[in-house]
């Protein structure tokens, strides 16, 4: 994703020119001064605290730019700004997970029970869809850095009847490394009765987003000798050289997720199972 470096004109200069502000409406044709890219606006989204617009050229190739200065319209320098927000629709009574929304929710002290997920992206996806539900229950989601030391981490957590632990594992399929780690954990006395480990079949939680949500027929197949996330970004034609590229790419994917309907059932069921386990009455 290429960003230009244009900013407001130097205010200390005499008679600074005030540029016309133009809303980035779909179909608006603009030229990026820095790169010379000319394209029509096909999409606007907010990512990482900034508005991003995607410009498609005549060959339907798409590049993304942050809104602001550094653009021309018919040769005129302009500031491209976000379009005015549409009137808010009537407030929904359901949350992103499909549960009934609790009005007037007040913050409460988090319970000792936890949901563990493998990484930051897993946590952000769970928060986006189930965040309201978890705040109602006082359950916190904590990302791990992989599960290689899962048994030791669970032992340190010291689960109990009022301190339960639910773990969501990526790529939990038969004969995988993950399945062996989980099997060893469940033999541990620390996991007895108060730990539930569930998993989805995907290499990474990214794949739990339905292809239809992203407007593609299926997730690209990435050769095993290529790091999966970088391969996915490359297949989408997005920047894929660095950890920053991965973060930006993930935010673009996450922005397409609005509710449980955008996710695969194989993830939905597992998260709901964990929440039920952690909130069930202590017998």
């Amino acid at each position: 994703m290429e960003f230009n470096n244009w900013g407001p004109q130097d205010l200390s200069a005499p008679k600074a020119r005030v540029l016309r502000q133009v809303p980035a409406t779909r179909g608006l044709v603009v030229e990026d001064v820095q790169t010379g890219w000319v394209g029509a606006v096909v999409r606007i989204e907010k990512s990482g605290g900034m508005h991003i617009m995607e410009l498609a050229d005549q060959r339907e190739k798409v590049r993304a730019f942050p809104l602001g200065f550094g653009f021309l319209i018919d040769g005129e320098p302009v500031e491209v700004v976000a379009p005015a927000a549409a009137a808010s629709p009537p407030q929904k009574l359901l949350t992103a997970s499909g549960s009934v929304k609790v009005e007037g929710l007040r913050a409460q002290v988090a319970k000792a029970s936890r949901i563990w997920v493998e990484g930051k992206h897993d946590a952000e996806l769970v928060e986006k869809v189930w965040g309201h539900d978890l705040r109602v229950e006082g359950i916190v989601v904590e990302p791990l850095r992989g599960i290689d030391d899962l048994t030791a981490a669970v032992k340190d957590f010291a689960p109990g009847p009022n301190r339960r632990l639910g773990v969501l594992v990526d790529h939990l399929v038969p004969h995988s490394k993950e399945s062996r780690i989980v099997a060893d954990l469940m033999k541990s006395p620390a996991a007895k009765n108060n730990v539930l480990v569930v998993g989805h079949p995907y290499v990474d939680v990214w794949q739990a987003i339905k292809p239809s949500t992203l407007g593609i027929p299926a997730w690209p197949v990435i050769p095993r000798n290529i790091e999966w996330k970088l391969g996915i970004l490359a297949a989408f034609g997005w920047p894929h050289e660095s950890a920053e590229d991965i973060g930006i790419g993930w935010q673009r994917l996450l922005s397409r997720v609005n509710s449980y309907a955008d996710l695969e059932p194989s993830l939905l069921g597992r998260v709901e199972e964990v929440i039920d386990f952690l909130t069930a009455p202590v017998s």
Side-chain angles (χ1 to χ4, degrees), residues 145-172:
R145 293 184 177 180
I147 62 167
D148 289 347
D149 297 322
L150 184 59
T151 299
V154 171
K155 183 178 179 180
D156 290 342
F157 182 80
N162 296 299
R163 186 179 171 81
R164 296 174 179 170
L165 184 62
V167 186
L168 178 65
V169 176
D170 297 341
H171 199 229
L172 189 59

Side-chain angles (χ1 to χ4, degrees), residues 1-4 37 52-55 62-66 252:
M1 182 176 295
E2 290 192 33
F3 292 162
N4 60 48
W37 186 271
I52 304 296
M53 67 176 172
E54 295 181 353
L55 302 180
V62 176
R63 293 176 69 175
F65 301 87
R252 292 182 70 176

Side-chain angles (χ1 to χ4, degrees), residues 48-256:
M50 68 175 66
H51 282 91
I52 304 296
M53 67 176 172
E54 295 181 353
L55 302 180
D57 67 5
Q58 293 181 341
R59 296 169 295 176
E60 297 186 353
K61 291 186 177 181
V62 176
R63 293 176 69 175
F65 301 87
L67 298 188
F69 298 90
F71 298 100
L72 302 176
I73 294 179
D74 296 330
E76 175 194 357
V78 297
E79 179 188 2
V80 181
V81 298
S88 299
Q91 190 172 15
K92 295 182 179 179
L93 299 179
L94 298 180
T95 69
S97 70
S99 63
V100 177
K101 185 174 183 180
V102 177
E103 301 291 345
L105 178 65
R106 293 183 178 181
Q108 59 175 303
V109 177
K111 293 182 174 64
S113 298
R114 293 287 187 271
I115 296 177
W116 283 358
V117 296
E118 288 206 43
K120 177 183 177 183
H121 296 173
D122 307 67
E124 290 177 342
L125 184 61
V126 170
E127 165 61 27
K128 184 160 189 181
V129 177
W130 289 274
H132 178 84
D133 309 60
L134 295 173
R135 284 187 287 277
V136 169
E137 300 294 347
I139 301 296
V140 174
V141 178
E142 296 179 343
L144 302 168
R145 293 184 177 180
I147 62 167
D148 289 347
D149 297 322
L150 184 59
T151 299
V154 171
K155 183 178 179 180
D156 290 342
F157 182 80
N162 296 299
R163 186 179 171 81
R164 296 174 179 170
L165 184 62
V167 186
L168 178 65
V169 176
D170 297 341
H171 199 229
L172 189 59
V173 297
H175 311 300
S176 67
K177 177 191 76 172
E178 291 80 4
S179 67
R180 293 191 292 271
I181 291 173
V182 171
D184 289 342
L185 167 65
M186 300 314 292
K187 295 175 185 176
S188 168
K192 186 177 181 181
N193 300 325
N194 299 304
V195 176
L196 175 66
V197 181
V198 300
H200 58 73
Y202 308 111
V203 174
D204 191 276
V205 77
W206 289 18
Q207 282 186 297
I209 302 175
K210 289 179 178 179
S212 58
T213 300
L214 306 176
I216 57 176
W219 279 90
V221 176
I222 306 303
R224 291 187 176 183
N225 64 329
I226 297 176
E227 185 176 345
W228 190 83
K229 289 178 179 176
L230 296 181
I232 288 294
L233 296 178
F236 287 162
W238 298 351
H240 55 279
E241 300 297 331
S242 66
E244 182 181 5
D245 291 336
I246 291 176
I248 293 173
W250 166 242
Q251 290 303 317
R252 292 182 70 176
L253 296 174
L254 186 62
S255 70
R256 303 292 181 94

